[in-house]
Amino acid sequence: MSFLPETRRLFDDLADTAFSDLKAGEALSLQLSAEDQTYVRFNDSNVRQATAVLQRNLALTFQWAGRQVTFTFDLSGHLDHDRALLRSWLERARREARTLPEDPFAVPLQDHGTSEHEHSGTEPDAAAAVKAIARVTQGTDFTGLLAAGPQVRAVRNSAGLNHWFSTASLWVDYSLFTTNASGDNKAVKGRFWGPAWDEDRFQAVLAADKARLAFLKRPARPIAPGEYRVYFAPAAVAELIAMFSWGALSYRAYRDGNCPLKRLIQDEVGLSEQFTLKENFCLALTPRFNSLGELPPVELMLIEKGQLKNLLVSSRSAKQYGVPSNAADPSGWFGEHLRAPELMAGNLPETEVLNCLGTGLYVGNLHYLNWSDVQAARVTGMTRYACFWVENGEIAAPINDLRFDDSLYRLFGSALEALTRESPIHPAIDTYHCRALGGSKIPGALVGTFRFTL
Amino acid sequence: MSLPVNFYPELPAFDIHRALAWVQAEADWIGLRFVQEQTYRRTVRNHLPEDNAITLERGVMAEARVDGHIAYAGTSDLSQQGLVQAARRAAYLARICAPHALFPFTEGHRPPAHGRFVSTRRLGFDRLTLAELTDQLIRASRSLKVSDKIVSTAAEATLVESTVHYVSSSGADIEQQWWLVSSHCAATAQDGTETQQRSLNGPAARCRQAGLEFFDFSALHAECERAGREALELLDAENCPDETLDLILAPDQMLLQIHESIGHPLELDRILGDERNYAGWSFVKPDDFGRLRYGSPLLNVTFDPTVAGEFASYAFDDCGNPATREYLIRDGVLLRGLGSLESQSRLGIAGVANFRSAGWNRAPIDRMANINLEPGTSSLAEMIASVERGVYMQSNRSWSIDDYRNKFQFGCEYARRIEQGRLSDVLKNPNYRGMTVPFWNALKQVGCRDERELFGTPYCGKGEPNQLIRVGHAAPPCLFAGIDVFGGGS
Ligand SMILES: [Zn+2]
């Protein structure tokens, strides 16, 4: 048997046993995150380090009399062993719950229905990908990571909820480096992804990136700090939209006073009419159910034409503050966060971007963003990869990287001139603990003025 | 009930030597690294318990050398069948990657070292019950709420028991065991449109290798009251001015400054380009070692895994290299990089024992461990007295630096203006920016040993696949001349 059916049978057997072991007044949720991945790092078109990871991570959330504990552990894959361990954890959970004070905002586990997305067909061939990448990237300075293999997310609870999601795919996230006429290192960022390895398609993606790299070989133009017209390519806008997951649309962060978009929420400022952001699970990059097995709406409008429509509200926040839940996922660093963001596309054809920019900066990517003043929604960060000085609608020269520090209110408000008509998918490439699922759909943005400080 | 979990009937001791015997014929060389780590995380928010979580990580990373290349396979299936599968998978990966390998591996990359390490602690985790710990966190949360203007509070404790046992077919046998503790307490104050947060030393900076002696609860409650009062002070404070001034950084901001602008750029795998697609490259070139004037002559920085109780102390790294204290920068001159045996041989320069992995499911890479700024001779009082116009900043709240580690911008929670050698007004939203080498060359005074403090973070992110690792940073307060500081607002 292969990884996916074995994992499903194990999870179901464990859940059936654990639920039947429960006593009156007890409730239990089991969440599974599992993967069988091959990760291969490349540097200079050669293999630096290859790692295979087979892991099945089970989290149990136990409730009794308004108390809640969560235990997480690695499954061995052997039913007898894992069942004994789960029973031991369950016993521990019972005893811990008794010593804790009541948690008035713990949300009783409920049956949020059943869903199933089962991967069918073959799994991506990592070995073929490694050989082909090493061969076809020879002669370029190619650095990056291949991740390939099946992934699982599943939740069941003792109230009857049962969601299963399995998939198998690969991506290659990479950089192509060169040195320009000034002797500076320059690079473009590329990404190939799909259900299977496809050498022809990879070659085509790589060829397009090599063509972009040619522009970076010209001497760099020094750019002084100051305000400039800027076109942000979709990958750069995706970095800025990622900041909306750092508490900016979290109902809990808003009530805690730590919400960067407080003034938007309170109607003191608006964003541009062109700015419409929603959660859209039709993107189908991630299961719709959250870590508790709750189902958020297929589409949830967050900001429409610059006005706030909804914040992300978890069932816990809903209980605590007496507002309706939209099944936002409360897990992660910043609590309620975007899982399937789509920034609605605009009218600017990609072919017109340089013309409309006229004279200013073309920013391909951004790096290492952080709030510089939460209350003012001010973000600092760096330009990275393919960034150019554009003069009269033509690329004049690459630039050396600049630090910016400006407010999202200005960037996506008064300064936003246009969004591109084309809006690519940006698959999630995080691999902390395990390979992430998800992604976003984000267009490019033309901005009348933007502040660079260093 | 006591905090630690005791479920040895279900998890019998793992016999790694027997496991090695099962798999050692699978490749030219085999290494096995067994990791078992239990993390107890308890959080209280607004005086109510929230996270009551325990995480158990338990698995083995197998390494196999075939055709001169080493590859890895991690598994949580510790049966004979599971380990043989993992070893075969590592060998298979090594075999298919070997024709495309970046560099050849040798026996020297995996020394056959023997040893043991046990971190220091005085009081075991079993000296406190879960109910007592929860109660203390609730009290800390109440201590933070010094006024109705404190709109939210958080008090968190994380306790970790970790064991790593590494053996290899060439004879390595290293067992290391750690007890690790960290805490975080924060208050958010609000008045009208103004909101400010103050914590104890910034996000998760308080972390040590220790037992329960780490928690001095009566001192903690007093500190929480101070943090609450300082959050209120910030509500009425002026913005940090926007000008070039002398800057004193407290140890709880020095930790971040050292981490981002010394630690990361000195990592040899960055200098070699391994990280160029994710964390970034480095402005430091191989030729800079022994030559580059990184900072003023007062700058002395060590890689020091020997400091008892600091967050990232150990005796061996994850390839079995014995860990020793080394100067990275001495009297301002760059001497040595943060590179493991693999990076050292690729570059032909000296490094340290810093080949570290985040867990059983990740391969080791070049990491920081304890990176410390060695004490000087000044006191904080002398530093303040020597400043005509300046700012004293404490506790990190924002961090950003470019992918070559040059252009940084950092923000702090709390600052005081310095005028004519004295601390005056409280300043809110203090930020500063600069370039790494000019900044360290502006170092004018370094605090003394008595004022050195030990901090760290559990969350240093790097690597492909991504890894979070623990690092320690000890430093005294330091004075920098002529730094661009600025405040908040749009
Ligand atoms: Zn770091």
Side-chain angles (χ1 to χ4, degrees):
Chain A
M1 262 206 308
S2 76
F3 175 76
L4 290 175
E6 257 176 40
T7 301
R8 184 155 196 184
R9 205 179 74 179
L10 177 69
F11 181 60
D12 281 336
D13 284 351
L14 289 173
D16 291 343
T17 319
F19 298 152
S20 67
D21 283 354
L22 293 178
K23 298 171 181 167
E26 296 178 344
L28 181 68
S29 168
L30 295 179
Q31 299 120 267
L32 178 75
S33 167
E35 66 177 16
D36 182 3
Q37 291 292 308
T38 301
Y39 296 108
V40 182
R41 296 187 85 169
F42 290 84
N43 182 0
D44 200 9
S45 307
N46 293 310
V47 173
R48 166 64 189 95
Q49 198 173 48
T51 308
V53 182
L54 176 68
Q55 56 183 346
R56 300 179 178 100
N57 195 255
L58 187 72
L60 70 89
T61 303
F62 175 85
Q63 292 184 343
W64 171 80
R67 279 86 173 158
Q68 178 168 305
V69 296
T70 301
F71 297 154
T72 308
F73 60 103
D74 292 315
L75 296 173
S76 72
H78 297 277
L79 180 61
D80 289 348
H81 175 277
D82 292 336
R83 192 159 44 197
L85 201 54
L86 178 55
R87 282 195 164 128
S88 174
W89 279 117
L90 197 55
E91 198 44 50
R92 165 90 189 185
R94 277 189 184 107
R95 285 183 288 130
E96 278 212 2
R98 268 180 236 125
T99 72
L100 288 168
E102 192 177 342
D103 173 359
F105 310 127
V107 180
L109 297 175
Q110 290 167 28
D111 183 354
H112 294 279
T114 297
S115 72
E116 176 167 328
H117 177 285
E118 181 82 83
H119 173 76
S120 58
T122 54
E123 290 171 9
D125 185 347
V130 170
K131 288 176 196 164
I133 291 167
R135 178 164 42 79
V136 306
T137 63
Q138 284 305 315
T140 62
D141 186 355
F142 170 97
T143 294
L145 179 68
L146 162 73
Q151 295 168 274
V152 176
R153 301 288 186 275
V155 186
R156 285 185 60 178
N157 75 22
S158 54
L161 172 158
N162 189 342
H163 295 292
W164 175 268
F165 181 95
S166 68
T167 186
S169 64
L170 62 75
W171 48 250
V172 187
D173 179 74
Y174 61 89
S175 307
L176 296 179
F177 279 83
T178 190
T179 310
N180 73 358
S182 317
D184 309 314
N185 298 316
K186 292 290 164 194
V188 295
K189 182 80 172 172
R191 197 166 293 163
F192 169 88
W193 56 287
W197 176 247
D198 179 340
E199 183 166 332
D200 291 342
R201 201 160 59 80
F202 179 72
Q203 293 252 34
V205 172
L206 195 69
D209 288 329
K210 281 186 189 172
R212 287 199 294 147
L213 198 60
F215 287 108
L216 286 160
K217 294 193 174 177
R218 303 177 190 175
R221 171 85 54 101
I223 304 292
E227 302 218 352
Y228 295 98
R229 268 178 88 67
V230 178
Y231 171 70
F232 293 102
V237 181
E239 288 286 334
L240 291 159
I241 294 297
M243 295 306 289
F244 286 78
S245 279
W246 288 35
L249 291 167
S250 155
Y251 190 80
R252 169 171 162 152
Y254 172 60
R255 293 299 296 257
D256 269 358
N258 297 320
C259 179
L261 294 182
K262 186 170 83 176
R263 296 180 58 215
L264 175 77
I265 296 162
Q266 295 178 343
D267 245 354
E268 292 163 23
V269 289
L271 298 178
S272 160
E273 282 238 331
Q274 300 180 67
F275 190 93
T276 294
L277 178 68
K278 62 184 181 184
E279 280 274 77
N280 182 2
F281 288 96
C282 295
L283 298 179
L285 298 165
T286 182
R288 195 174 130 212
F289 61 86
N290 69 12
S291 58
L292 305 168
E294 302 163 334
L295 287 173
V298 175
E299 283 193 27
L300 177 67
M301 188 59 75
L302 298 162
I303 298 170
E304 188 171 30
K305 295 185 174 173
Q307 303 299 313
L308 185 94
K309 291 293 165 194
N310 285 289
L311 288 172
L312 297 163
V313 186
S314 69
S315 49
R316 185 181 177 91
S317 292
K319 187 168 183 192
Q320 179 169 5
Y321 301 110
V323 292
S325 163
N326 49 41
D329 200 317
S331 67
W333 294 102
F334 298 96
E336 295 143 334
H337 59 279
L338 293 162
R339 295 172 58 221
E342 179 175 11
L343 177 62
M344 300 313 287
N347 301 317
L348 176 64
E350 222 169 52
T351 49
E352 287 299 306
V353 157
L354 294 180
N355 259 338
C356 287
L357 175 61
T359 296
L361 290 164
Y362 176 106
V363 173
N365 300 80
L366 294 173
H367 175 68
Y368 217 143
L369 276 57
N370 207 325
W371 302 115
S372 57
D373 182 1
V374 167
Q375 302 306 316
R378 219 170 88 185
V379 178
T380 187
M382 291 295 304
T383 65
R384 190 174 179 185
Y385 292 108
C387 298
F388 303 98
W389 178 248
V390 175
E391 235 163 46
N392 301 318
E394 289 192 13
I395 288 179
I399 60 162
N400 292 324
D401 284 325
L402 292 167
R403 171 163 295 286
F404 68 88
D405 190 347
D406 209 333
S407 169
L408 293 183
Y409 289 135
R410 208 163 80 109
L411 169 65
F412 291 129
S414 57
L416 182 63
E417 290 189 2
L419 295 165
T420 55
R421 203 170 57 189
E422 294 80 5
S423 182
I425 296 275
H426 308 265
I429 51 137
D430 297 355
T431 50
Y432 286 106
H433 308 296
C434 64
R435 185 177 150 195
L437 288 167
S440 58
K441 189 171 191 306
I442 310 278
L446 182 65
V447 172
T449 180
F450 193 64
R451 190 177 303 140
F452 294 89
T453 55
L454 190 64
Chain B
M1 69 187 296
S2 96
L3 272 170
V5 175
N6 188 348
F7 47 132
Y8 293 102
E10 289 79 21
L11 289 181
F14 176 64
D15 185 343
I16 198 167
H17 296 285
R18 192 171 60 143
L20 182 65
W22 292 333
V23 301
Q24 63 183 354
E26 299 293 338
D28 299 338
W29 173 92
I30 291 273
L32 294 179
R33 177 166 46 86
F34 167 72
V35 178
Q36 179 167 315
E37 185 162 301
Q38 272 159 249
T39 303
Y40 308 87
R41 185 171 158 73
R42 308 290 168 179
T43 73
V44 163
R45 181 167 165 259
N46 299 329
H47 328 324
L48 292 166
E50 196 163 274
D51 283 353
N52 303 290
I54 306 178
T55 303
L56 168 69
E57 293 164 61
R58 190 172 199 253
V60 164
M61 179 59 87
E63 302 176 68
R65 195 179 73 232
V66 177
D67 299 340
H69 188 70
I70 287 179
Y72 300 80
T75 182
S76 49
D77 179 355
L78 304 188
S79 68
Q80 179 167 5
Q81 174 202 352
L83 290 164
V84 169
Q85 270 175 11
R88 284 187 184 156
R89 197 162 173 197
Y92 169 74
L93 264 182
R95 191 169 295 116
I96 62 165
C97 291
H100 317 291
L102 186 61
F103 62 93
F105 286 84
T106 64
E107 286 174 10
H109 288 131
R110 297 292 184 275
H114 285 239
R116 271 181 66 80
F117 174 86
V118 179
S119 70
T120 53
R121 61 160 185 170
R122 288 201 309 278
L123 297 177
F125 292 168
D126 54 356
R127 297 290 286 274
L128 198 63
T129 65
L130 173 59
E132 285 165 340
L133 179 63
T134 305
D135 182 55
Q136 292 290 2
L137 292 174
I138 290 170
R139 286 184 52 203
S141 170
R142 289 190 199 287
S143 303
L144 287 158
K145 192 169 171 71
V146 293
S147 146
D148 289 344
K149 289 179 181 169
I150 302 292
V151 291
S152 65
T153 64
E156 306 173 1
T158 305
L159 297 84
V160 180
E161 298 175 70
S162 183
T163 300
V164 177
H165 197 160
Y166 177 77
V167 297
S168 73
S169 59
S170 54
D173 187 353
I174 297 162
E175 197 170 2
Q176 304 192 84
Q177 201 172 7
W178 295 268
W179 285 270
L180 303 127
V181 193
S182 55
S183 74
H184 176 68
C185 295
T188 303
Q190 204 166 33
D191 191 8
T193 59
E194 185 64 54
T195 306
Q196 288 289 330
Q197 197 175 65
R198 185 75 175 114
S199 69
L200 297 184
N201 303 113
R206 286 193 172 193
C207 36
R208 297 285 278 270
Q209 292 182 0
L212 285 177
E213 72 276 8
F214 173 83
F215 294 101
D216 176 346
F217 287 111
S218 58
L220 182 72
H221 300 316
E223 288 181 299
C224 284
E225 275 179 33
R226 174 181 56 75
R229 283 196 308 272
E230 289 181 352
L232 296 179
E233 289 171 22
L234 287 166
L235 289 178
D236 299 322
E238 274 180 56
N239 251 309
C240 180
D242 186 354
E243 58 180 302
T244 302
L245 293 173
D246 287 351
L247 174 64
I248 299 176
L249 296 180
D252 60 7
Q253 171 60 19
M254 285 301 298
L255 98 99
L256 204 280
Q257 185 70 50
I258 294 165
H259 183 91
E260 301 285 20
S261 75
I262 293 179
H264 281 305
L266 298 195
E267 289 161 350
L268 294 189
D269 63 340
R270 287 183 72 120
I271 294 169
L272 282 158
D274 293 351
E275 283 285 330
R276 289 181 296 170
N277 184 55
Y278 180 62
W281 212 338
S282 176
F283 72 88
V284 176
K285 308 265 188 303
D287 287 353
D288 289 335
F289 292 96
R291 294 190 184 89
L292 176 67
R293 176 150 288 288
Y294 207 97
S296 82
L298 295 174
L299 183 64
N300 289 287
V301 178
T302 56
F303 169 87
D304 196 348
T306 70
V307 179
E310 197 170 355
F311 203 43
S313 290
Y314 52 86
F316 298 89
D317 71 3
D318 284 344
C319 70
N321 194 18
T324 52
R325 178 177 192 260
E326 305 291 347
Y327 272 88
L328 305 174
I329 298 170
R330 192 159 209 168
D331 302 331
V333 177
L334 178 64
L335 295 183
R336 190 182 281 260
L338 291 168
S340 62
L341 294 177
E342 292 180 13
S343 299
Q344 291 171 40
S345 71
R346 288 163 69 192
L347 269 173
I349 63 174
V352 296
N354 69 329
F355 205 47
R356 304 177 65 206
S357 59
W360 65 263
N361 60 2
R362 290 289 179 265
I365 53 175
D366 289 353
R367 301 305 306 238
M368 285 177 242
N370 297 327
I371 308 297
N372 299 340
L373 194 143
E374 295 298 317
T377 55
S378 306
S379 69
L380 179 61
E382 286 164 6
M383 277 183 224
I384 292 166
S386 72
V387 171
E388 209 161 297
R389 292 184 63 247
V391 180
Y392 173 43
M393 295 190 193
Q394 297 176 41
S395 310
N396 180 259
R397 84 168 188 193
S398 174
W399 58 98
S400 174
I401 188 164
D402 72 89
D403 57 323
Y404 287 80
R405 302 274 146 176
N406 269 318
K407 293 181 175 179
F408 64 79
Q409 175 171 326
F410 299 136
C412 291
E413 288 181 353
Y414 183 87
R416 298 283 298 271
R417 195 193 301 277
I418 306 172
E419 286 175 309
Q420 310 297 338
R422 284 165 194 267
L423 291 178
S424 62
D425 316 329
V426 174
L427 300 171
K428 69 180 179 185
N429 306 323
N431 290 279
Y432 64 102
R433 62 180 160 243
M435 299 278 289
T436 291
V437 169
F439 181 83
W440 287 110
N441 276 280
L443 176 66
K444 289 293 175 289
Q445 290 188 53
V446 176
C448 57
R449 185 161 293 276
D450 290 351
E451 292 179 350
R452 183 177 90 148
E453 293 183 60
L454 271 56
F455 293 108
T457 174
Y459 306 122
C460 174
K462 186 184 167 183
E464 292 175 307
N466 305 153
Q467 309 194 37
L468 289 174
I469 211 153
R470 303 180 186 104
V471 298
H473 298 298
C478 289
L479 168 65
F480 301 85
I483 305 301
D484 288 340
V485 303
F486 56 99
S490 50

